[in-house]
Amino acid sequence: MALLEIRNLRGGIKDQDIINGIDLTVDRGEVHAIMGPNGSGKSTLGKILAGHEEYEETGGTVRFQDKDLFELTPEERANEGMFLAFQYPVEIPGVSNAYFLRAAMNERLKYRGEPEISAGAFRRLLDKKMKQVDMDPELARRPVNEDFSGGEKKRNEIFHMAVLEPTLSILDETDSGLDIDAMRIVAHGINQQRTADNAMIVITHYQRLLDYVVPDYVHVMYQGRIVKSGRKELAFELEEKGYEWIREEVEAAG
Amino acid sequence: MEAIETLAQQEYKEGWVTDIEMETAPPGLNEDIIRFISAKKKEPEFLLEWRLKAYRHWLTMKEPNWQYMAYPPVDYQDIVYYAAPKNTPEYNSLDEVDPELLATYDKLGIPLEEQKVLAGVAVDAVFDSVSVHTTFKDKLAELGIIFCSFSEAAQEHPDLVEKYLGTVVPYRDNYFATMNSAVFSDGSFCYIPPGVRCPMELSTYFRINTAGTGQFERTLIIADEGSYVSYLEGCTAPMRDENQLHAAVVELVALKDAQIKYSTVQNWYPGDEQGKGGVYNFVTKRGACKGDNSKISWTQVETGSAITWKYPSVILQGDHSIGEFYSVALTRNKQVADTGTKMIHVGKNSRSTVVSKGISAGNGQNVYRGRIQVLKKADGARNYTQCDSMLIGDRCGAHTFPYIDVGNNSASVEHEASTARISEDQLFYCKTRGISTEDAISMIINGFCKEVFQELPMEFAVEAKKLLGISLEGSVG
């Protein structure tokens, strides 16, 4: 059984479908890149999978770890092992990053019927993960994303991912707004988390992140559908030819 | 937003009535009742005279109407002004205390025996009007600290009471303070001698119990030169159908180099979802930094009462004196909290800090009302005020009335204000990390209140966080 199976998914916002029939299978150990021009529905797919209240599925099925995804609340999906790294991470004033993550961690443990993590053990885990993703320890003490720079916010998302160890991570334009150095650090953090047991869906507009986070598969979205899938070389092709090429292909076929 | 629009209702957890025989005065307010109260308490003559002066002045006063709230007219002749547990006890040990009373404390989670051992807190528990139990008195007495009921102080330390009573809140002060001066039933009295640092947090639990009994507490705390005291006040009340008037007065006096830290967690019955039956909490709290380098700090967490109306204030008379006010007020259902502070800068280089956090949910209304006054001679006076509001849902309100009155050019006064909502994005972000909406709201609220909570003594901070959690339980759908 695949980790994630999306069959003919449709959905969107306020009675308007943005996703118009997507099929996608993701297995453990795989990294899938989803590319496409602005407005093609990439981020909407991420939000529907994570369970954003304003987005709704209107057709199709999604099975995650052999469970009907839409039977699960957003927090249940998270505790089952799904993770969404935000394109625009949200600030939570007054709540320290470390406190927030420990609360999240304990929710996860509770969900799985395991005892809560001790303060000491959590501290050690944080230290280890901060090193892994090259995170300034100061940022763990500060309120979640408050007054973080754009790069720090994105790095914090990867830090959250590293601590929570999800089985499926959806990274929504994690590279946007980053300069090349910041992107390298973020990419390094992401690569640190790749294992044979987990999987990632990397949503990106540009190919450049994929130089560092090398995907197993690349899918191109256009008008709410995956119109082209291939191996990592497809990303290079896109970079070279631009999205206009896809548009022409689709229209020629349509 | 849909997630936090539906306000489910939660029953008040502290609601019950203890069945203990009460000795109760007939309802109504007149000189006979005042004489009755004073006689019951075996008060010295000066105190009776003071009460009567206050009463006579009260008769000339009009009930104020400037506050941001409406409430049905109170019939002051229909209130019982004195109720004491029968056989007014002079207990030597807990064994002598009415078991029912002890059971009540158990329900409140404040078993006296336990607290003696666990918290290291001396508890002066006020059950309705008469103090029934005081602990740690001997230990405090060794240091010369006086901590007892107000009635006891009036008998045992009349000189101190006479010297300080009404020096911060005069009997003519305001309608409710004046009424309190006439009919106050009991309260706490505390005196810290020069140079003594009180080794434990002093604590009083107030409780309103008899149907229709107004409660008029009077508390007086004096920190003599170079002394320090931290005082905790925590309250709950049983569920009632009729409104209960509560008009307390708290006076703090800090002499030269002295510090008083006064913390309150207030959780009186707020009324049902229509606001019916809640406590009217009209309180006058004021401290005077009489000496140089003295400091008074008020911290309050207000979650209860149908109407809260209080402005813990500091008169900064001494040079280099410091006044602080840290407040969290949470209103839901039909609750109204009209609260804030007054900082009156008289002394040179006096400083004050005001941090107010108002949280409104349901139809709750939160009002911050503050006055920063810098008098002519207060060279170098400084104030910083921060006033933040958080709204949950779209039927509640937050209102801010800051008054700033500066009479000295060298003063610096800052005012910052903000209004926030808990955003859908914040909640979704928390959910994608596995944290439920309710836990997320509780976390966000606690983060919002952090600057205030960190001013509370540790155990109180834990209690306050829990209280906010309980108060917001079910406030999300």
Side-chain angles (χ1 to χ4, degrees), chain A residues 52-53 75 78-79 83-84 90-91 94-95 103-104 107 145 157 160, chain B residues 3 424-426 428-436 439 443-444 447 450:
Chain A
H52 195 294
E53 212 171 68
E75 56 269 33
N79 290 328
F83 180 85
L84 176 66
V90 179
E91 298 183 5
V95 179
E107 286 297 328
N145 294 322
E157 293 297 281
H160 284 192
Chain B
E424 196 74 57
D425 282 347
Q426 280 176 323
F428 179 56
Y429 190 71
C430 293
K431 286 189 230 176
T432 63
R433 304 304 188 252
I435 299 165
S436 69
D439 290 345
M443 186 184 275
I444 293 165
K450 199 178 183 185

PDB file of all heavy atoms in Angstrom, chain A residues 52-53 75 78-79 83-84 90-91 94-95 103-104 107 145 157 160, chain B residues 3 424-426 428-436 439 443-444 447 450:
ATOM      1  N   HIS A  52      -7.146  22.603   5.281  1.00  0.00           N
ATOM      2  CA  HIS A  52      -7.518  23.999   5.541  1.00  0.00           C
ATOM      3  C   HIS A  52      -9.030  24.160   5.442  1.00  0.00           C
ATOM      4  O   HIS A  52      -9.660  23.687   4.493  1.00  0.00           O
ATOM      5  CB  HIS A  52      -6.820  24.911   4.533  1.00  0.00           C
ATOM      6  CG  HIS A  52      -6.849  26.362   4.921  1.00  0.00           C
ATOM      7  ND1 HIS A  52      -8.015  27.078   4.969  1.00  0.00           N
ATOM      8  CD2 HIS A  52      -5.868  27.214   5.315  1.00  0.00           C
ATOM      9  CE1 HIS A  52      -7.757  28.321   5.353  1.00  0.00           C
ATOM     10  NE2 HIS A  52      -6.448  28.428   5.585  1.00  0.00           N
ATOM     11  N   GLU A  53      -9.588  24.846   6.441  1.00  0.00           N
ATOM     12  CA  GLU A  53     -11.035  24.967   6.553  1.00  0.00           C
ATOM     13  C   GLU A  53     -11.701  25.633   5.350  1.00  0.00           C
ATOM     14  O   GLU A  53     -12.824  25.299   4.983  1.00  0.00           O
ATOM     15  CB  GLU A  53     -11.347  25.798   7.798  1.00  0.00           C
ATOM     16  CG  GLU A  53     -12.629  25.406   8.481  1.00  0.00           C
ATOM     17  CD  GLU A  53     -12.739  26.122   9.811  1.00  0.00           C
ATOM     18  OE1 GLU A  53     -12.906  27.356   9.789  1.00  0.00           O
ATOM     19  OE2 GLU A  53     -12.642  25.456  10.848  1.00  0.00           O
ATOM     20  N   GLU A  75      -5.810  18.148  12.588  1.00  0.00           N
ATOM     21  CA  GLU A  75      -4.825  17.784  13.619  1.00  0.00           C
ATOM     22  C   GLU A  75      -4.596  16.282  13.656  1.00  0.00           C
ATOM     23  O   GLU A  75      -3.485  15.824  13.955  1.00  0.00           O
ATOM     24  CB  GLU A  75      -5.193  18.357  14.994  1.00  0.00           C
ATOM     25  CG  GLU A  75      -6.551  18.004  15.548  1.00  0.00           C
ATOM     26  CD  GLU A  75      -7.635  19.015  15.162  1.00  0.00           C
ATOM     27  OE1 GLU A  75      -7.561  19.593  14.059  1.00  0.00           O
ATOM     28  OE2 GLU A  75      -8.562  19.210  15.974  1.00  0.00           O
ATOM     29  N   ALA A  78      -2.149  15.524  10.999  1.00  0.00           N
ATOM     30  CA  ALA A  78      -0.797  15.869  11.462  1.00  0.00           C
ATOM     31  C   ALA A  78      -0.265  14.778  12.385  1.00  0.00           C
ATOM     32  O   ALA A  78       0.877  14.342  12.250  1.00  0.00           O
ATOM     33  CB  ALA A  78      -0.817  17.213  12.183  1.00  0.00           C
ATOM     34  N   ASN A  79      -1.121  14.342  13.298  1.00  0.00           N
ATOM     35  CA  ASN A  79      -0.674  13.338  14.256  1.00  0.00           C
ATOM     36  C   ASN A  79      -0.495  11.957  13.620  1.00  0.00           C
ATOM     37  O   ASN A  79       0.220  11.112  14.139  1.00  0.00           O
ATOM     38  CB  ASN A  79      -1.625  13.287  15.453  1.00  0.00           C
ATOM     39  CG  ASN A  79      -1.504  14.543  16.310  1.00  0.00           C
ATOM     40  OD1 ASN A  79      -0.426  15.124  16.407  1.00  0.00           O
ATOM     41  ND2 ASN A  79      -2.605  14.974  16.898  1.00  0.00           N
ATOM     42  N   PHE A  83       2.642  16.580   7.362  1.00  0.00           N
ATOM     43  CA  PHE A  83       3.195  17.873   7.764  1.00  0.00           C
ATOM     44  C   PHE A  83       3.132  18.829   6.590  1.00  0.00           C
ATOM     45  O   PHE A  83       3.471  18.474   5.473  1.00  0.00           O
ATOM     46  CB  PHE A  83       4.650  17.699   8.210  1.00  0.00           C
ATOM     47  CG  PHE A  83       5.321  18.968   8.634  1.00  0.00           C
ATOM     48  CD1 PHE A  83       5.187  19.425   9.936  1.00  0.00           C
ATOM     49  CD2 PHE A  83       6.080  19.712   7.738  1.00  0.00           C
ATOM     50  CE1 PHE A  83       5.810  20.611  10.342  1.00  0.00           C
ATOM     51  CE2 PHE A  83       6.700  20.897   8.136  1.00  0.00           C
ATOM     52  CZ  PHE A  83       6.565  21.339   9.441  1.00  0.00           C
ATOM     53  N   LEU A  84       2.666  20.048   6.869  1.00  0.00           N
ATOM     54  CA  LEU A  84       2.660  21.074   5.830  1.00  0.00           C
ATOM     55  C   LEU A  84       3.611  22.195   6.237  1.00  0.00           C
ATOM     56  O   LEU A  84       3.427  22.819   7.278  1.00  0.00           O
ATOM     57  CB  LEU A  84       1.243  21.640   5.629  1.00  0.00           C
ATOM     58  CG  LEU A  84       1.113  22.799   4.638  1.00  0.00           C
ATOM     59  CD1 LEU A  84       1.422  22.361   3.206  1.00  0.00           C
ATOM     60  CD2 LEU A  84      -0.294  23.413   4.689  1.00  0.00           C
ATOM     61  N   VAL A  90       3.221  31.390   9.987  1.00  0.00           N
ATOM     62  CA  VAL A  90       2.382  32.273  10.796  1.00  0.00           C
ATOM     63  C   VAL A  90       3.066  32.607  12.122  1.00  0.00           C
ATOM     64  O   VAL A  90       3.715  31.761  12.722  1.00  0.00           O
ATOM     65  CB  VAL A  90       1.027  31.572  11.064  1.00  0.00           C
ATOM     66  CG1 VAL A  90       0.121  32.437  11.916  1.00  0.00           C
ATOM     67  CG2 VAL A  90       0.354  31.227   9.746  1.00  0.00           C
ATOM     68  N   GLU A  91       2.897  33.851  12.570  1.00  0.00           N
ATOM     69  CA  GLU A  91       3.485  34.256  13.852  1.00  0.00           C
ATOM     70  C   GLU A  91       2.527  33.948  15.009  1.00  0.00           C
ATOM     71  O   GLU A  91       1.331  34.153  14.894  1.00  0.00           O
ATOM     72  CB  GLU A  91       3.771  35.770  13.848  1.00  0.00           C
ATOM     73  CG  GLU A  91       4.782  36.161  12.791  1.00  0.00           C
ATOM     74  CD  GLU A  91       5.126  37.643  12.836  1.00  0.00           C
ATOM     75  OE1 GLU A  91       4.644  38.351  13.742  1.00  0.00           O
ATOM     76  OE2 GLU A  91       5.878  38.079  11.951  1.00  0.00           O
ATOM     77  N   GLY A  94       4.244  35.524  21.839  1.00  0.00           N
ATOM     78  CA  GLY A  94       4.204  35.109  23.238  1.00  0.00           C
ATOM     79  C   GLY A  94       4.364  33.619  23.466  1.00  0.00           C
ATOM     80  O   GLY A  94       4.463  33.184  24.603  1.00  0.00           O
ATOM     81  N   VAL A  95       4.342  32.819  22.387  1.00  0.00           N
ATOM     82  CA  VAL A  95       4.495  31.367  22.556  1.00  0.00           C
ATOM     83  C   VAL A  95       5.862  30.969  21.995  1.00  0.00           C
ATOM     84  O   VAL A  95       6.106  31.114  20.806  1.00  0.00           O
ATOM     85  CB  VAL A  95       3.392  30.602  21.796  1.00  0.00           C
ATOM     86  CG1 VAL A  95       3.572  29.100  21.963  1.00  0.00           C
ATOM     87  CG2 VAL A  95       2.014  31.041  22.263  1.00  0.00           C
ATOM     88  N   ALA A 103       4.512  21.055  22.767  1.00  0.00           N
ATOM     89  CA  ALA A 103       3.066  20.819  22.797  1.00  0.00           C
ATOM     90  C   ALA A 103       2.668  19.941  21.607  1.00  0.00           C
ATOM     91  O   ALA A 103       1.899  18.985  21.742  1.00  0.00           O
ATOM     92  CB  ALA A 103       2.313  22.147  22.772  1.00  0.00           C
ATOM     93  N   ALA A 104       3.214  20.267  20.434  1.00  0.00           N
ATOM     94  CA  ALA A 104       2.900  19.500  19.228  1.00  0.00           C
ATOM     95  C   ALA A 104       3.381  18.052  19.373  1.00  0.00           C
ATOM     96  O   ALA A 104       2.668  17.098  19.052  1.00  0.00           O
ATOM     97  CB  ALA A 104       3.541  20.155  18.010  1.00  0.00           C
ATOM     98  N   GLU A 107       1.142  16.132  21.717  1.00  0.00           N
ATOM     99  CA  GLU A 107      -0.130  15.789  21.065  1.00  0.00           C
ATOM    100  C   GLU A 107       0.045  14.522  20.232  1.00  0.00           C
ATOM    101  O   GLU A 107      -0.792  13.621  20.214  1.00  0.00           O
ATOM    102  CB  GLU A 107      -0.599  16.927  20.154  1.00  0.00           C
ATOM    103  CG  GLU A 107      -1.146  18.129  20.871  1.00  0.00           C
ATOM    104  CD  GLU A 107      -2.395  17.807  21.675  1.00  0.00           C
ATOM    105  OE1 GLU A 107      -3.179  16.930  21.264  1.00  0.00           O
ATOM    106  OE2 GLU A 107      -2.574  18.432  22.743  1.00  0.00           O
ATOM    107  N   ASN A 145       8.037  32.378  15.088  1.00  0.00           N
ATOM    108  CA  ASN A 145       8.117  33.211  13.874  1.00  0.00           C
ATOM    109  C   ASN A 145       8.017  34.717  14.094  1.00  0.00           C
ATOM    110  O   ASN A 145       8.101  35.485  13.138  1.00  0.00           O
ATOM    111  CB  ASN A 145       7.052  32.791  12.836  1.00  0.00           C
ATOM    112  CG  ASN A 145       7.318  31.402  12.304  1.00  0.00           C
ATOM    113  OD1 ASN A 145       8.471  31.031  12.101  1.00  0.00           O
ATOM    114  ND2 ASN A 145       6.272  30.630  12.084  1.00  0.00           N
ATOM    115  N   GLU A 157      10.370  26.325   9.558  1.00  0.00           N
ATOM    116  CA  GLU A 157       9.451  25.294   9.079  1.00  0.00           C
ATOM    117  C   GLU A 157      10.170  23.954   8.972  1.00  0.00           C
ATOM    118  O   GLU A 157       9.635  22.909   9.357  1.00  0.00           O
ATOM    119  CB  GLU A 157       8.868  25.682   7.713  1.00  0.00           C
ATOM    120  CG  GLU A 157       7.952  26.883   7.724  1.00  0.00           C
ATOM    121  CD  GLU A 157       6.710  26.667   8.561  1.00  0.00           C
ATOM    122  OE1 GLU A 157       5.769  26.008   8.099  1.00  0.00           O
ATOM    123  OE2 GLU A 157       6.710  27.149   9.713  1.00  0.00           O
ATOM    124  N   HIS A 160      10.715  22.576  12.424  1.00  0.00           N
ATOM    125  CA  HIS A 160       9.497  21.912  12.909  1.00  0.00           C
ATOM    126  C   HIS A 160       9.397  20.507  12.323  1.00  0.00           C
ATOM    127  O   HIS A 160       9.092  19.535  13.011  1.00  0.00           O
ATOM    128  CB  HIS A 160       8.247  22.719  12.517  1.00  0.00           C
ATOM    129  CG  HIS A 160       8.037  23.943  13.342  1.00  0.00           C
ATOM    130  ND1 HIS A 160       6.870  24.660  13.320  1.00  0.00           N
ATOM    131  CD2 HIS A 160       8.844  24.590  14.220  1.00  0.00           C
ATOM    132  CE1 HIS A 160       6.957  25.698  14.145  1.00  0.00           C
ATOM    133  NE2 HIS A 160       8.148  25.679  14.699  1.00  0.00           N
TER     134      HIS A 160
ATOM    135  N   ALA B   3     -14.801  28.697  13.198  1.00  0.00           N
ATOM    136  CA  ALA B   3     -14.225  27.845  14.232  1.00  0.00           C
ATOM    137  C   ALA B   3     -14.411  28.424  15.628  1.00  0.00           C
ATOM    138  O   ALA B   3     -14.572  27.694  16.594  1.00  0.00           O
ATOM    139  CB  ALA B   3     -12.736  27.627  13.954  1.00  0.00           C
ATOM    140  N   GLU B 424      -7.604  32.801  11.623  1.00  0.00           N
ATOM    141  CA  GLU B 424      -7.818  31.475  11.058  1.00  0.00           C
ATOM    142  C   GLU B 424      -6.479  30.836  10.680  1.00  0.00           C
ATOM    143  O   GLU B 424      -6.262  29.649  10.875  1.00  0.00           O
ATOM    144  CB  GLU B 424      -8.706  31.618   9.820  1.00  0.00           C
ATOM    145  CG  GLU B 424      -9.325  30.356   9.331  1.00  0.00           C
ATOM    146  CD  GLU B 424     -10.454  29.912  10.231  1.00  0.00           C
ATOM    147  OE1 GLU B 424     -11.406  30.679  10.449  1.00  0.00           O
ATOM    148  OE2 GLU B 424     -10.368  28.776  10.717  1.00  0.00           O
ATOM    149  N   ASP B 425      -5.584  31.678  10.182  1.00  0.00           N
ATOM    150  CA  ASP B 425      -4.269  31.174   9.776  1.00  0.00           C
ATOM    151  C   ASP B 425      -3.484  30.626  10.965  1.00  0.00           C
ATOM    152  O   ASP B 425      -2.821  29.602  10.860  1.00  0.00           O
ATOM    153  CB  ASP B 425      -3.441  32.296   9.119  1.00  0.00           C
ATOM    154  CG  ASP B 425      -3.873  32.538   7.687  1.00  0.00           C
ATOM    155  OD1 ASP B 425      -4.614  31.684   7.148  1.00  0.00           O
ATOM    156  OD2 ASP B 425      -3.489  33.567   7.120  1.00  0.00           O
ATOM    157  N   GLN B 426      -3.555  31.335  12.094  1.00  0.00           N
ATOM    158  CA  GLN B 426      -2.867  30.846  13.288  1.00  0.00           C
ATOM    159  C   GLN B 426      -3.412  29.488  13.701  1.00  0.00           C
ATOM    160  O   GLN B 426      -2.664  28.577  14.033  1.00  0.00           O
ATOM    161  CB  GLN B 426      -3.039  31.828  14.454  1.00  0.00           C
ATOM    162  CG  GLN B 426      -2.099  33.022  14.400  1.00  0.00           C
ATOM    163  CD  GLN B 426      -2.390  34.001  15.515  1.00  0.00           C
ATOM    164  OE1 GLN B 426      -3.545  34.228  15.880  1.00  0.00           O
ATOM    165  NE2 GLN B 426      -1.351  34.597  16.060  1.00  0.00           N
ATOM    166  N   PHE B 428      -4.993  27.289  11.845  1.00  0.00           N
ATOM    167  CA  PHE B 428      -4.652  26.252  10.867  1.00  0.00           C
ATOM    168  C   PHE B 428      -3.197  25.830  11.030  1.00  0.00           C
ATOM    169  O   PHE B 428      -2.859  24.650  10.968  1.00  0.00           O
ATOM    170  CB  PHE B 428      -4.911  26.771   9.439  1.00  0.00           C
ATOM    171  CG  PHE B 428      -4.569  25.761   8.367  1.00  0.00           C
ATOM    172  CD1 PHE B 428      -5.158  24.494   8.373  1.00  0.00           C
ATOM    173  CD2 PHE B 428      -3.664  26.071   7.358  1.00  0.00           C
ATOM    174  CE1 PHE B 428      -4.844  23.560   7.401  1.00  0.00           C
ATOM    175  CE2 PHE B 428      -3.349  25.135   6.382  1.00  0.00           C
ATOM    176  CZ  PHE B 428      -3.933  23.881   6.404  1.00  0.00           C
ATOM    177  N   TYR B 429      -2.363  26.808  11.272  1.00  0.00           N
ATOM    178  CA  TYR B 429      -0.937  26.525  11.477  1.00  0.00           C
ATOM    179  C   TYR B 429      -0.767  25.553  12.657  1.00  0.00           C
ATOM    180  O   TYR B 429      -0.046  24.562  12.560  1.00  0.00           O
ATOM    181  CB  TYR B 429      -0.196  27.835  11.752  1.00  0.00           C
ATOM    182  CG  TYR B 429       1.309  27.733  11.756  1.00  0.00           C
ATOM    183  CD1 TYR B 429       2.011  27.534  10.575  1.00  0.00           C
ATOM    184  CD2 TYR B 429       2.038  27.864  12.930  1.00  0.00           C
ATOM    185  CE1 TYR B 429       3.394  27.460  10.558  1.00  0.00           C
ATOM    186  CE2 TYR B 429       3.426  27.801  12.934  1.00  0.00           C
ATOM    187  CZ  TYR B 429       4.097  27.598  11.747  1.00  0.00           C
ATOM    188  OH  TYR B 429       5.469  27.532  11.733  1.00  0.00           O
ATOM    189  N   CYS B 430      -1.454  25.838  13.757  1.00  0.00           N
ATOM    190  CA  CYS B 430      -1.372  24.957  14.931  1.00  0.00           C
ATOM    191  C   CYS B 430      -1.890  23.559  14.597  1.00  0.00           C
ATOM    192  O   CYS B 430      -1.316  22.555  15.011  1.00  0.00           O
ATOM    193  CB  CYS B 430      -2.165  25.537  16.094  1.00  0.00           C
ATOM    194  SG  CYS B 430      -1.450  27.060  16.738  1.00  0.00           S
ATOM    195  N   LYS B 431      -2.997  23.520  13.849  1.00  0.00           N
ATOM    196  CA  LYS B 431      -3.582  22.211  13.505  1.00  0.00           C
ATOM    197  C   LYS B 431      -2.632  21.371  12.662  1.00  0.00           C
ATOM    198  O   LYS B 431      -2.546  20.164  12.850  1.00  0.00           O
ATOM    199  CB  LYS B 431      -4.909  22.400  12.756  1.00  0.00           C
ATOM    200  CG  LYS B 431      -6.049  22.842  13.656  1.00  0.00           C
ATOM    201  CD  LYS B 431      -7.358  22.792  12.906  1.00  0.00           C
ATOM    202  CE  LYS B 431      -8.101  24.089  13.055  1.00  0.00           C
ATOM    203  NZ  LYS B 431      -9.324  24.125  12.269  1.00  0.00           N
ATOM    204  N   THR B 432      -1.918  22.030  11.757  1.00  0.00           N
ATOM    205  CA  THR B 432      -0.991  21.254  10.930  1.00  0.00           C
ATOM    206  C   THR B 432       0.184  20.739  11.756  1.00  0.00           C
ATOM    207  O   THR B 432       0.990  19.954  11.274  1.00  0.00           O
ATOM    208  CB  THR B 432      -0.409  22.066   9.748  1.00  0.00           C
ATOM    209  OG1 THR B 432       0.359  23.144  10.267  1.00  0.00           O
ATOM    210  CG2 THR B 432      -1.489  22.579   8.831  1.00  0.00           C
ATOM    211  N   ARG B 433       0.291  21.217  12.994  1.00  0.00           N
ATOM    212  CA  ARG B 433       1.314  20.690  13.903  1.00  0.00           C
ATOM    213  C   ARG B 433       0.683  19.718  14.903  1.00  0.00           C
ATOM    214  O   ARG B 433       1.319  19.330  15.875  1.00  0.00           O
ATOM    215  CB  ARG B 433       2.018  21.825  14.657  1.00  0.00           C
ATOM    216  CG  ARG B 433       2.661  22.902  13.775  1.00  0.00           C
ATOM    217  CD  ARG B 433       3.664  22.306  12.782  1.00  0.00           C
ATOM    218  NE  ARG B 433       4.408  23.337  12.070  1.00  0.00           N
ATOM    219  CZ  ARG B 433       4.226  23.647  10.789  1.00  0.00           C
ATOM    220  NH1 ARG B 433       3.327  23.014  10.069  1.00  0.00           N
ATOM    221  NH2 ARG B 433       4.960  24.585  10.217  1.00  0.00           N
ATOM    222  N   GLY B 434      -0.604  19.426  14.692  1.00  0.00           N
ATOM    223  CA  GLY B 434      -1.270  18.425  15.537  1.00  0.00           C
ATOM    224  C   GLY B 434      -1.962  18.990  16.766  1.00  0.00           C
ATOM    225  O   GLY B 434      -2.406  18.250  17.627  1.00  0.00           O
ATOM    226  N   ILE B 435      -2.038  20.317  16.848  1.00  0.00           N
ATOM    227  CA  ILE B 435      -2.616  20.945  18.041  1.00  0.00           C
ATOM    228  C   ILE B 435      -4.060  21.343  17.740  1.00  0.00           C
ATOM    229  O   ILE B 435      -4.330  22.046  16.768  1.00  0.00           O
ATOM    230  CB  ILE B 435      -1.777  22.175  18.449  1.00  0.00           C
ATOM    231  CG1 ILE B 435      -0.346  21.722  18.791  1.00  0.00           C
ATOM    232  CG2 ILE B 435      -2.409  22.910  19.610  1.00  0.00           C
ATOM    233  CD1 ILE B 435       0.665  22.846  18.850  1.00  0.00           C
ATOM    234  N   SER B 436      -4.993  20.891  18.589  1.00  0.00           N
ATOM    235  CA  SER B 436      -6.414  21.128  18.334  1.00  0.00           C
ATOM    236  C   SER B 436      -6.754  22.602  18.486  1.00  0.00           C
ATOM    237  O   SER B 436      -6.020  23.372  19.106  1.00  0.00           O
ATOM    238  CB  SER B 436      -7.265  20.318  19.300  1.00  0.00           C
ATOM    239  OG  SER B 436      -7.117  20.843  20.603  1.00  0.00           O
ATOM    240  N   ASP B 439      -6.859  23.821  22.150  1.00  0.00           N
ATOM    241  CA  ASP B 439      -5.522  23.961  22.729  1.00  0.00           C
ATOM    242  C   ASP B 439      -4.773  25.124  22.098  1.00  0.00           C
ATOM    243  O   ASP B 439      -4.024  25.834  22.761  1.00  0.00           O
ATOM    244  CB  ASP B 439      -4.713  22.667  22.549  1.00  0.00           C
ATOM    245  CG  ASP B 439      -5.245  21.543  23.425  1.00  0.00           C
ATOM    246  OD1 ASP B 439      -6.017  21.857  24.346  1.00  0.00           O
ATOM    247  OD2 ASP B 439      -4.897  20.380  23.183  1.00  0.00           O
ATOM    248  N   MET B 443      -3.351  28.312  23.986  1.00  0.00           N
ATOM    249  CA  MET B 443      -1.926  28.620  23.847  1.00  0.00           C
ATOM    250  C   MET B 443      -1.719  30.063  23.378  1.00  0.00           C
ATOM    251  O   MET B 443      -0.878  30.791  23.901  1.00  0.00           O
ATOM    252  CB  MET B 443      -1.323  27.642  22.833  1.00  0.00           C
ATOM    253  CG  MET B 443       0.162  27.720  22.657  1.00  0.00           C
ATOM    254  SD  MET B 443       0.699  26.591  21.351  1.00  0.00           S
ATOM    255  CE  MET B 443       0.876  25.088  22.251  1.00  0.00           C
ATOM    256  N   ILE B 444      -2.513  30.471  22.409  1.00  0.00           N
ATOM    257  CA  ILE B 444      -2.378  31.828  21.873  1.00  0.00           C
ATOM    258  C   ILE B 444      -2.753  32.867  22.935  1.00  0.00           C
ATOM    259  O   ILE B 444      -2.084  33.888  23.106  1.00  0.00           O
ATOM    260  CB  ILE B 444      -3.231  31.998  20.591  1.00  0.00           C
ATOM    261  CG1 ILE B 444      -2.646  31.123  19.473  1.00  0.00           C
ATOM    262  CG2 ILE B 444      -3.283  33.459  20.159  1.00  0.00           C
ATOM    263  CD1 ILE B 444      -3.573  30.920  18.286  1.00  0.00           C
ATOM    264  N   GLY B 447      -0.073  33.080  25.477  1.00  0.00           N
ATOM    265  CA  GLY B 447       1.032  33.836  24.916  1.00  0.00           C
ATOM    266  C   GLY B 447       0.738  35.332  24.960  1.00  0.00           C
ATOM    267  O   GLY B 447       1.590  36.145  25.314  1.00  0.00           O
ATOM    268  N   LYS B 450       1.250  36.676  28.441  1.00  0.00           N
ATOM    269  CA  LYS B 450       2.500  36.278  29.056  1.00  0.00           C
ATOM    270  C   LYS B 450       3.132  37.338  29.955  1.00  0.00           C
ATOM    271  O   LYS B 450       3.567  37.057  31.076  1.00  0.00           O
ATOM    272  CB  LYS B 450       3.482  35.916  27.945  1.00  0.00           C
ATOM    273  CG  LYS B 450       4.638  35.084  28.398  1.00  0.00           C
ATOM    274  CD  LYS B 450       5.495  34.772  27.195  1.00  0.00           C
ATOM    275  CE  LYS B 450       6.648  33.878  27.553  1.00  0.00           C
ATOM    276  NZ  LYS B 450       7.522  33.687  26.400  1.00  0.00           N
TER     277      LYS B 450
END
